[in-house]
Amino acid sequence: MQLGLVGLGKMGANMRTRIVGAGHEVIGYDPRPEVSDVKTLADLVGALDAPRVIWVMVPSGDPTRTTVASLAEELSAGDIVIDGGNSRYTDDFEHAKLLQAKGIGYIDCGVSGGVWGLENGYGLMAGGADADVARVMPIFDALRPEGERADGFVHAGPVGAGHYAKMVHNGIEYGLMHAYGEGYELLSAEPLITDVEGTLRAWTHGTVIRSWLLDLLVRALQEDPGLAEISDYTTDSGEGRWTVEEAIRHSVPANVISAALFARFASRQDGSPALKAVSALRNQFGGHAVRDTTGRSVGETGSPPDNSAG
């Protein structure tokens, strides 16, 4: 099968290699000429045999919207566009509407696997019409982990379902990563535990909490014992926020995912204004000592302490 691929970054380049390794032809376009097979999107469309299939693998938001809009002008009826980035599922409705007006099919596909997907295969969550998904199955089969077709791939539902599934997947990922992080910190705080990395490594086999994420945490500690070379500043790419927003919309108590998201926000603060306010209030209503910005304890102030205060 022939595929056009827009976006040859870390994920896109590895996906191209895996698809080509399965015997398919991939013609790639990227703004960087050193990695691109063609010079422009129009050249990419012209290099493909009709009916065409083009997979878009660029950052979510405006880059994806712009690319889909450009393809709508270049492609013909019977072609298919796949958005494999981390777009918000509501964007899929607009993309599908724009393309459908010209007889072009649209599939949204959540892709999980990161830089390890080249070797291990990718988890794929597709949304779209049955006929469109069936037509692209050879590409999905090339990308998913080897084994039965049901493993590593799901046609989750109509347009929007693929990115919705990927959004929830990433929200769960937030919670899992933070739980492992808290466990690591607790092990590190206890003097009885003299081999933190070894303890985590022991959990990677035979335990109910073993996972690929745990494997990666052990790998990180082996490469950087104590994680001394990395900051605790943690960004979020949007999916965790969207998951929490959807939980609110559906009245689902997503306590763990919400807490993990807010913990990421806290990691970006040099000092927490909220906790500064809490400290000031404890000093005011209870006369509790506070610490200045150097960590030095300063005298009790405010009204005489009320020993019943918290």
Side-chain angles (χ1 to χ4, degrees), residues 220-298:
L221 287 167
Q222 290 172 338
E223 295 175 350
D224 179 14
L227 303 178
E229 301 300 319
I230 192 168
S231 165
D232 64 352
Y233 187 103
T234 307
T235 61
D236 69 285
S237 54
E239 295 91 339
R241 299 181 188 220
W242 302 340
T243 304
V244 172
E245 290 171 2
E246 286 298 305
I248 294 170
R249 187 169 73 89
H250 289 289
S251 299
V252 172
N255 302 312
V256 171
I257 295 172
S258 300
L261 174 65
F262 295 146
R264 292 195 182 194
F265 295 164
S267 78
R268 302 169 207 169
Q269 296 179 317
D270 292 332
S272 168
L275 290 180
K276 285 184 179 181
V278 169
S279 182
L281 284 168
R282 292 183 74 250
N283 176 248
Q284 289 297 320
F285 75 70
H288 301 292
V290 297
R291 297 187 180 219
D292 65 16
T293 55
T294 68
R296 182 176 59 89
S297 180
V298 297

Side-chain angles (χ1 to χ4, degrees), residues 8 10 21 24 27 33 57 67 80 87 93 107 124 143-145 148 192 209 238 241 257 262 280 290 298:
L8 299 172
K10 291 179 181 179
H24 302 288
I27 301 175
M57 205 68 191
T67 301
I80 294 176
S87 295
F93 305 145
I107 297 171
L124 305 170
L143 288 171
R144 68 181 178 86
E148 295 298 322
L192 286 171
I209 63 167
R241 299 181 188 220
I257 295 172
F262 295 146
V290 297
V298 297

